[in-house]
């Protein structure tokens, strides 16, 4: 929702570099991460070719002819990089030591990202993409599909953000579109998002060295004249205290390089993208006992996050009309919290009506509607987007937009200001990088496919005796047990409830015997 800029922090004590050719000091070996594709009829099949790749911004960039840094600390070498085109020609991106330098490890279907990793160098945070092959990102076409993953945020305190989201990047990282980019997806190039970040070192085949200004509060980052804008669907931005999911549409398709004020340097709303998004954060939307340690979704343990991209005609050829959220923890399906804000209905998902009602109730600028809303998010979701997983701290506003009161000078009792229980003094990068250096996030068990095909669990609302929401269909004439599913979109199981219970519609996708 707020700036993702300055998320790049890599302190090589010796030096750091960055480039768009390919370096060969370290072989690039993508850590394997399997995931599953699911259908209603066929169940889930494991995609064992899955792997992750580290974003280019974190990599060592050095001369193509040797190992002189092109970028050191937060400054470009003026001789190697007199301009962006020459810099891209002179400089190479090298392979990554994933676990040793960056604290990135995988095991089976799980990925763990450590926050601070100290080796010969000190690395802060990371950003990786899911790959389909050694040279292509996995593309996700989200319409009429469901995306599910397990997450462990128990070790992510205030000020940190373990983010899982989709950006409308090129599948090859821009390799074929920008001929001066010789590195491509294999080296994690081509990032963009709805903040039009200007801390990206190479954009569209050129270095971003012109006008580069080192950050005042980040020894490793800076901003150049250019930014990298594109549609972004935040499925998950969270720590153990707060969580949000947020579509951020743009008025362009794919990566669009901005420059100057079109990157939002005067006003955040001057770009082609919606920087605020239409966010659903349960705490901000009025349910303060839903998400957190010991709460309904208990963040002291792993849980499953389900996100459904529903369309107007229940087909992938339709347009995005609703983004629904469910959780599953300890075998129980937990429906999303309901909005409890004066002037708003009890929405429990993201729809056009929810978004406009929220902007009105909170008095927020409707940049979401102004940049095309769900209709434009829908185009990106249809085109295909790249899966991004990261852990970061916030050098702009200390992550207060996610987990505290923001803006800090507003009346915190006004609806929309309070987003979580973290103190307004929390989240300063210098503090979290020292006090929470050992923080980490684990994403695992990614599943993607037909609505209703990626998760199982008994419904909540009663003690034991659950039926299930699995796609495994039962004989249509069978009787469903109390608390079992008895209806909903695509349901082919029993619709008759055991005596003593009746079938209650909880939402269009789920009816339950109660
Ligand atoms: C869904 O709607 C779109 C237009 O919004 C239409 O082009 C498409 O044919 C529809 N698909 C089905 C299966 O009805
Ligand atoms: C939606 O995006 C398209 C380009 O894909 C753009 O032409 C249009 O203006 C956008 N809609 C709005 C309301 O900005
Ligand atoms: C981080 O973990 C290491 C090893 O488990 C420990 O030695 C160190 O004190 C921890 N640091 C902090 C800040 O908790
Ligand atoms: C899509 O599915 C929902 C839930 O089953 C149903 O209520 C709705 O009428 C369907 N829409 C269309 C256009 O078929």
């Amino acid at each position: 929702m707020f700036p993702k800029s300055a998320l790049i922090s890599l302190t090589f004590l010796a030096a750091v570099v960055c480039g768009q050719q390919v370096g060969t000091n370290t072989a690039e070996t993508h850590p394997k991460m399997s995931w599953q594709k699911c259908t209603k009829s066929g169940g889930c099949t494991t995609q064992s070719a899955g792997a992750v790749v580290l974003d280019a911004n974190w990599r060592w960039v050095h001369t193509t002819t040797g190992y002189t840094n092109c970028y050191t600390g937060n400054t470009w070498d003026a001789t190697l990089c007199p301009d962006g085109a020459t810099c891209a020609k002179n400089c190479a991106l090298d392979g990554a030591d994933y676990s040793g330098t960056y604290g990135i490890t995988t095991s089976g279907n799980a990925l763990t990202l450590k926050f601070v990793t100290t080796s010969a160098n000190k690395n802060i945070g990371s950003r990786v993409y899911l790959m389909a092959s050694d040279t292509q990102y996995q593309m996700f076409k989200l319409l009429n599909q469901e995306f599910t993953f397990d997450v462990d945020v128990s070790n992510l305190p205030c000020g940190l953000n373990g983010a899982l989201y989709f950006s409308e990047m090129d599948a090859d990282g821009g390799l074929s579109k920008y001929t001066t980019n010789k590195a491509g997806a294999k080296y994690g190039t081509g990032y963009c998002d709805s903040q039009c970040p200007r801390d990206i070192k190479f954009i569209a085949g050129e270095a971003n060295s012109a006008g580069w200004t080192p950050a005042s509060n980040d020894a490793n980052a800076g901003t150049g004249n250019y930014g990298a804008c594109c549609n972004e669907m935040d499925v998950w931005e969270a720590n153990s205290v707060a969580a949000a999911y947020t579509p951020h549409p743009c008025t362009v398709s794919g990566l669009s390089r901005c420059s100057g004020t079109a990157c939002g340097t005067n006003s955040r709303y001057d770009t082609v993208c919606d920087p605020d998004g239409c966010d659903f954060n349960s705490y901000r939307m009025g349910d303060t006992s839903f998400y957190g340690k010991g709460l309904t979704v208990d963040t002291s343990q792993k849980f499953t996050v389900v996100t459904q991209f529903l369309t107007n005609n229940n087909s992938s050829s339709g347009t995005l009309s609703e983004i629904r959220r469910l959780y599953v923890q300890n075998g129980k399906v937990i429906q999303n919290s309901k909005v409890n804000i004066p002037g708003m209905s009890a929405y429990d998902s993201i729809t056009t009506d929810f978004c406009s009602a929220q902007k009105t109730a909170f008095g927020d600028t409707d940049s979401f509607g102004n940049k095309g809303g769900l209709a434009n998010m829908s185009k990106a979701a249809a085109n295909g987007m790249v899966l991004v997983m990261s852990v970061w701290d916030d050098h702009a506003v200390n992550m207060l937009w996610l987990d505290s009161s923001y803006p800090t000078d507003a009346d915190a009792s006004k609806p929309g200001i309070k987003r979580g229980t973290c103190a307004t003094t929390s989240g300063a990068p210098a503090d979290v990088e020292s006090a929470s250096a050992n923080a980490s996030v684990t994403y695992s068990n990614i599943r993607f496919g037909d609505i209703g095909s990626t998760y199982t669990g008994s419904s909540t609302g009663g003690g034991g005796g659950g039926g299930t929401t699995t796609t495994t269909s039962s004989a249509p004439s069978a009787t469903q047990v109390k608390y079992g599913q008895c209806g909903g979109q695509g349901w082919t199981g029993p619709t008759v409830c055991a005596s003593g219970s009746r079938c209650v519609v909880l939402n269009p996708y789920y009816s339950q015997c109660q």
Side-chain angles (χ1 to χ4, degrees):
M1 175 179 178
F2 273 80
K4 281 198 179 62
S5 56
L7 130 160
I8 288 77
S9 292
L10 179 62
T11 308
F12 275 93
L13 296 181
V16 178
V17 242
C18 235
Q20 196 98 114
Q21 309 293 309
V22 171
T24 54
N25 189 50
T26 302
E28 175 64 12
T29 308
H30 301 138
K32 291 280 182 201
M33 181 190 196
S34 67
W35 58 287
Q36 294 192 305
K37 271 186 195 165
C38 308
T39 62
K40 283 290 258 189
S41 51
C44 298
T45 53
T46 299
Q47 310 295 302
S48 41
V52 294
V53 61
L54 177 69
D55 180 273
N57 245 32
W58 272 258
R59 293 172 184 271
W60 181 25
V61 186
H62 56 76
T63 52
T64 53
T65 51
Y67 294 106
T68 304
N69 294 342
C70 288
Y71 180 96
T72 305
N74 52 22
T75 312
W76 292 93
D77 182 292
T79 307
L80 293 166
C81 297
D83 59 78
T86 307
C87 187
K89 207 174 292 169
N90 285 341
C91 301
L93 290 165
D94 217 309
D97 174 355
Y98 281 81
S99 60
T101 304
Y102 301 101
I104 299 169
T105 53
T106 59
S107 173
N109 65 22
L111 165 72
T112 297
L113 305 178
K114 282 191 66 186
F115 177 44
V116 177
T117 304
T118 306
S119 58
N121 318 297
K122 183 179 184 186
N123 178 68
I124 310 291
S126 59
R127 183 166 68 214
V128 304
Y129 310 114
L130 187 68
M131 307 219 70
S133 72
D134 205 37
T135 56
Q136 298 272 317
Y137 298 133
Q138 178 67 45
M139 300 307 285
F140 287 89
K141 297 191 172 185
L142 302 174
L143 294 183
N144 196 38
Q145 299 280 284
E146 182 174 277
F147 184 91
T148 294
F149 65 105
D150 296 349
V151 69
D152 184 342
V153 295
S154 60
N155 194 23
L156 283 181
C158 293
L160 295 195
N161 188 333
L164 181 150
Y165 56 106
F166 292 102
S167 278
E168 199 185 9
M169 297 158 62
D170 286 323
D172 65 0
L175 188 79
S176 54
K177 203 179 284 176
Y178 310 105
T179 54
T180 50
N181 176 352
K182 304 293 185 201
K186 182 176 180 183
Y187 292 87
T189 67
Y191 182 71
C192 51
D193 70 34
S194 61
Q195 307 303 319
C196 300
R198 292 190 297 130
D199 59 354
I200 307 299
K201 292 171 188 161
F202 291 87
I203 304 173
E206 276 187 23
N208 196 11
S209 50
W212 189 263
T213 307
S216 60
N217 65 351
D218 191 329
N220 308 295
T223 48
N225 283 345
Y226 297 114
C229 311
C230 68
N231 282 289
E232 173 182 353
M233 173 64 224
D234 292 332
V235 171
W236 189 246
E237 290 195 283
N239 54 37
S240 58
V241 175
Y245 74 103
T246 314
H248 292 265
C250 303
T251 60
V252 293
S253 175
L255 182 148
S256 171
R257 189 175 75 164
C258 62
S259 74
T261 56
C263 294
T265 52
N266 285 347
S267 157
R268 61 192 274 106
Y269 301 117
D270 286 350
T271 74
V272 294
C273 294
D274 161 26
D276 295 354
C278 168
D279 60 306
F280 199 114
N281 166 331
S282 293
Y283 191 105
R284 188 180 190 216
M285 298 319 301
D287 188 341
T288 58
S289 64
F290 185 71
Y291 181 91
K293 291 196 170 169
L295 301 183
T296 306
V297 175
D298 180 3
T299 61
S300 62
Q301 312 164 33
K302 184 166 85 167
F303 52 89
T304 301
V305 181
V306 181
T307 310
Q308 300 174 328
F309 298 90
L310 307 174
T311 64
N312 62 328
N313 62 6
N314 299 332
S315 153
S316 59
S317 57
T319 58
L320 185 63
S321 57
E322 182 176 10
I323 308 171
R324 289 197 68 78
R325 164 59 46 82
L326 303 166
Y327 298 89
V328 185
Q329 190 167 38
N330 295 322
K332 294 256 187 322
V333 176
I334 303 169
Q335 301 296 327
N336 195 22
S337 64
K338 290 192 189 304
V339 170
N340 178 23
I341 296 289
M344 288 186 75
S345 306
Y347 298 99
D348 63 359
S349 69
I350 291 176
T351 58
T352 296
D353 286 352
F354 162 80
C355 295
S356 44
Q358 185 215 47
K359 299 294 181 188
T360 302
F362 294 163
D364 288 344
T365 300
D366 189 9
S367 62
F368 177 77
N370 295 340
K371 296 286 157 57
L374 281 186
N376 270 16
M377 195 74 248
S378 187
K379 293 182 198 175
N383 291 341
M385 303 177 83
V386 172
L387 177 63
V388 185
M389 290 170 280
S390 72
V391 64
W392 58 289
D393 61 352
D394 180 356
H395 288 254
V397 293
N398 300 350
M399 219 65 82
L400 302 175
W401 58 269
L402 175 68
D403 61 20
S404 182
S405 294
Y406 189 84
T408 52
D409 58 1
D411 176 0
S413 67
K414 186 175 164 264
I417 301 301
K418 215 163 175 215
R419 300 124 193 279
T421 55
C422 297
T424 53
T425 50
S426 70
D431 297 341
V432 291
E433 287 168 21
S434 59
S436 308
N438 283 343
S440 65
V441 61
T442 300
Y443 306 105
S444 59
N445 202 10
I446 290 172
R447 285 146 284 164
F448 180 67
D450 295 345
I451 302 291
S453 71
T454 68
Y455 69 99
T456 61
S458 62
S459 51
T460 51
T468 103
T469 59
T470 73
T471 58
T472 315
S473 52
S474 319
S477 59
T479 297
Q480 183 56 288
V481 297
K482 194 171 183 184
Y483 304 123
Q485 185 172 6
C486 54
Q489 180 187 337
W491 176 246
T492 56
T495 55
V496 177
C497 292
S499 73
S501 63
R502 64 192 179 90
C503 192
V504 176
V505 177
L506 297 181
N507 62 53
Y509 313 96
Y510 195 80
S511 302
Q512 184 184 52
C513 294
Q514 301 185 340

